Amino acid sequence: MTETTVHVEPRTDVLESLDPRTGEVIATFPIHSDQEVRDIVVRAREAAKWWDELGFSGRAKRIDAWRKHMVAHLDELIALVSRETGKSLDDATLECALFIDHVHWAAANAKKVLGKKKRPSGLLMSNFRATVEYRPWGVVGAIGPWNYPVYTPGGMFVYAIAAGNAVVFKPSEYTPAVGRWLVDSFHEVVPEQPVFSLITGFGATGAALATSGVDKLAFTGSAATGKLVAKAAAETLTPVTMECGGKDAVIVAADADLDAAAEQIVFGAIANSGQTCAGIERAYVVDSVADRLLELVVEKTKKITAGPGANDTIGPMCMPKQIPIVRRHIEAALADGGKALVGGLDSVKDPYIEPVILVDVPETSAAVQEETFGPVVIINRVADLDEAIRKSNDTGYGLGAAVFSKSLGEKIADRLNVGMVSINSFLTFAAIPTLPFGGRGLSGYGRMHGEEGLRDFSAPRAVTKKLFPGVIDPLGYGRKENAVKNLLTVIKARYGKF
Ligand code: NAD
């Protein structure tokens, strides 16, 4: 700190949104109390009823209007995302463009995926018509992170809204302005009822939402916070979708296109300053091609710059408290016997972190096991693909993975304990709206996006209708004398042999 620097304590009575490049206050927001959150949920419940009654086509029309409205103002949203998170305009553009594609897909497909459908009623119940439809939960509480403040919470609130729910959205305390922009833009085209509401504040406001009486919770954030949210939801058996962190690995086989693999490792590890849940944090490279791959990775990484300029590839770290974690992981990797091929501890220049490429880091190191969430990648050599697969599967996380191989991509993907794999590419599963997004283990459960995402925000309702009297009709005390015996005879005859 220079002598002229005045240290201003952040205000605690309101939430201040800051530009991480300059520290400048972008806007202030209320810190919603428990009671205020509950009141907003009560109002959302009325809105949920109205929104449900509009039906699929009434809702799709309004969501389409919202999409067009957002596209007309997309440059404004992109600039705000870049300003509030510090990410480059390119990174902000990528996330907003993908988000719009999801808004379109969810509205266009909600009826097809969730609408009433006939199901076969089976031999014993052939005198019944059986149907299933996916009904909205009611009010969904969505708690979001800051790293992709549009795309990631969008995977929750867009799919929840398209499924017929009202949503109360708590954006990260680092990105409330983006949250407000999204909610305000929805109100522009759906002014009648608070179908999509905003609450702002820190963790306590998120905790208030978790116990506010919402019918469903969707959380995206760290595994540590996810555990607290799941615990709170357990009190009322409120269903939760959990989208938590990751420690994604890429596997590079001997027959990989090495230039493509290097390109995607560098992009996957460094884009958005490494603050991507499904970003590449580890790479396992088969020994025979490791030297060449590392040469290519080093060459490509050296072109990347971190800084405030429009031409810098990456911006600052958005969340100050992540910087010491990144530093601790670099320290741990080096202390545990790893080597820095590009950068090192000097790369951490708060609030910017320049790319760091580490090699030969033992698997037991915290740098290999814990989520780093910075522009750092560990590249380790392996003797063969079996070792690569075993090590890839050997953290508690299971979000995504990437595989580079001309001939073995699917075979390797089959053996990875993750929710998503991209073969000969990175993160491409996130750009295809039909595919479910989510993980397993410490990375969470439940899914956003695709048919699975729409169903996650709906409760299935099964309905049967008697069409005519059945031959056996065993359910009821007025049944024929031999009805139960006849049922057993049919079951034995039908299912007793192979
Ligand atoms: P975080 O866990 O610190 O916070 C997430 C949200 O939870 C914030 O809105 C925060 O205010 C709120 N919160 C904090 N304490 C709470 C509590 N006790 N009860 C309820 N809510 C509470 O995470 P973050 O730093 O904002 O985001 C980064 C993390 O998110 C990383 O681990 C990243 O991998 C993960 N992430 C996962 C996905 C995915 O889809 N799987 C996507 C993006 C980010």
Side-chain angles (χ1 to χ4, degrees):
M1 199 187 293
T2 63
E3 272 174 39
T4 50
T5 307
V6 180
H7 182 70
V8 183
E9 284 296 329
R11 286 177 65 180
T12 51
D13 55 334
V14 291
L15 173 63
E16 289 183 326
S17 154
L18 305 175
D19 180 331
R21 289 187 184 92
T22 60
E24 186 193 342
V25 177
I26 297 173
T28 57
F29 295 84
I31 298 173
H32 284 109
S33 67
D34 289 19
Q35 188 56 50
E36 285 167 330
V37 171
R38 276 199 294 274
D39 292 345
I40 289 169
V41 170
V42 167
R43 286 200 293 280
R45 196 166 297 291
E46 278 302 301
K49 197 164 166 287
W50 175 80
W51 186 240
D52 178 25
E53 282 165 4
L54 287 180
F56 288 110
S57 55
R59 290 193 294 269
K61 223 185 278 167
R62 285 166 170 81
I63 298 171
D64 285 343
W66 180 39
R67 168 174 50 81
K68 284 183 199 146
H69 175 80
M70 288 194 289
V71 170
H73 297 86
L74 210 54
D75 292 342
E76 196 185 290
L77 178 62
I78 291 166
L80 182 59
V81 170
S82 171
R83 186 159 181 230
E84 202 176 34
T85 61
K87 67 176 76 183
S88 70
L89 277 175
D90 276 358
D91 283 342
T93 304
L94 280 176
E95 96 158 273
C96 292
L98 293 182
F99 165 75
I100 293 293
D101 202 19
H102 279 282
V103 178
H104 172 260
W105 191 88
N109 289 280
K111 184 173 182 187
K112 194 170 86 192
V113 176
L114 306 175
K116 192 181 277 189
K117 282 186 200 67
K118 274 174 86 169
R119 292 275 172 94
S121 48
L123 174 72
L124 296 175
M125 304 294 281
S126 55
N127 56 323
F128 280 80
R129 185 173 65 206
T131 54
V132 65
E133 65 181 319
Y134 286 81
R135 300 284 303 134
W137 290 107
V139 181
V140 172
I143 301 173
W146 47 267
N147 59 333
Y148 289 89
V150 174
Y151 172 82
T152 297
M156 305 186 285
F157 62 68
V158 168
Y159 285 78
I161 288 171
N165 302 280
V167 171
V168 178
F169 174 38
K170 149 75 178 87
S172 165
E173 50 272 41
Y174 292 96
T175 53
V178 171
R180 183 168 68 187
W181 193 98
L182 292 163
V183 170
D184 285 354
S185 69
F186 189 86
H187 280 239
E188 285 280 324
V189 292
V190 185
E192 297 94 328
Q193 292 271 353
V195 172
F196 186 23
S197 314
L198 183 76
I199 55 168
T200 48
F202 297 91
T205 304
L209 183 60
T211 53
S212 63
V214 292
D215 305 293
K216 156 93 184 171
L217 273 166
F219 170 80
T220 307
S222 62
T225 311
K227 288 178 195 175
L228 298 176
V229 173
K231 214 169 166 182
E235 282 295 317
T236 45
L237 287 185
T238 304
V240 200
T241 299
M242 277 287 156
E243 298 287 354
C244 302
K247 190 73 187 173
D248 288 11
V250 51
I251 292 178
V252 183
D255 69 343
D257 174 339
L258 294 182
D259 195 63
E263 167 67 27
Q264 294 284 276
I265 289 172
V266 172
F267 178 69
I270 291 164
N272 206 32
S273 303
Q275 305 165 118
T276 302
C277 55
I280 293 175
E281 299 217 351
R282 302 175 291 152
Y284 296 105
V285 187
V286 168
D287 199 35
S288 57
V289 293
D291 287 340
R292 178 64 191 139
L293 182 95
L294 286 171
E295 258 173 44
L296 289 165
V297 166
V298 170
E299 190 184 305
K300 290 173 195 292
T301 308
K302 289 202 163 146
K303 295 183 188 147
I304 288 167
T305 59
N311 293 327
D312 285 312
T313 332
I314 54 173
M317 298 295 285
C318 177
M319 188 171 69
K321 68 179 185 216
Q322 196 66 28
I323 296 170
I325 298 174
V326 177
R327 187 183 288 118
R328 177 167 65 78
H329 284 183
I330 300 169
E331 266 164 8
L334 299 175
D336 292 338
K339 290 186 278 297
L341 214 56
V342 175
L345 272 175
D346 292 348
S347 306
V348 183
K349 297 173 176 158
D350 188 348
Y352 297 92
I353 301 184
E354 287 164 353
V356 179
I357 309 290
L358 299 164
V359 293
D360 305 331
V361 183
E363 293 299 304
T364 48
S365 176
V368 177
Q369 293 298 322
E370 296 171 19
E371 187 180 45
T372 303
F373 228 54
V376 178
V377 62
I378 290 166
I379 305 183
N380 281 345
R381 291 163 191 267
V382 286
D384 52 29
L385 289 173
D386 283 343
E387 185 184 346
I389 292 165
R390 182 170 48 75
K391 289 183 169 171
S392 294
N393 286 335
D394 203 19
T395 69
Y397 292 104
L399 192 55
V403 175
F404 285 85
S405 168
K406 285 184 187 132
S407 62
L408 298 167
E410 277 88 353
K411 285 210 168 94
I412 300 167
D414 280 352
R415 294 172 61 194
L416 294 174
N417 297 333
V418 293
M420 305 162 293
V421 185
S422 42
I423 299 172
N424 298 330
S425 60
F426 157 70
L427 203 63
T428 35
F429 42 74
I432 298 177
T434 53
L435 289 179
F437 188 101
R440 50 199 282 180
L442 289 175
S443 297
Y445 47 82
R447 291 294 183 266
M448 318 190 287
H449 304 170
E451 295 189 11
E452 291 78 2
L454 284 169
R455 290 201 190 100
D456 225 40
F457 290 102
S458 322
R461 183 165 68 196
V463 176
T464 57
K465 183 174 179 188
K466 190 166 186 174
L467 301 174
F468 50 84
V471 181
I472 302 180
D473 263 348
L475 297 177
Y477 294 125
R479 64 196 164 214
K480 290 177 200 148
E481 203 184 315
N482 287 337
V484 173
K485 211 168 123 213
N486 289 343
L487 172 67
L488 191 61
T489 308
V490 171
I491 291 290
K492 284 183 175 174
R494 175 74 182 80
Y495 301 118
K497 40 191 180 229
F498 289 101

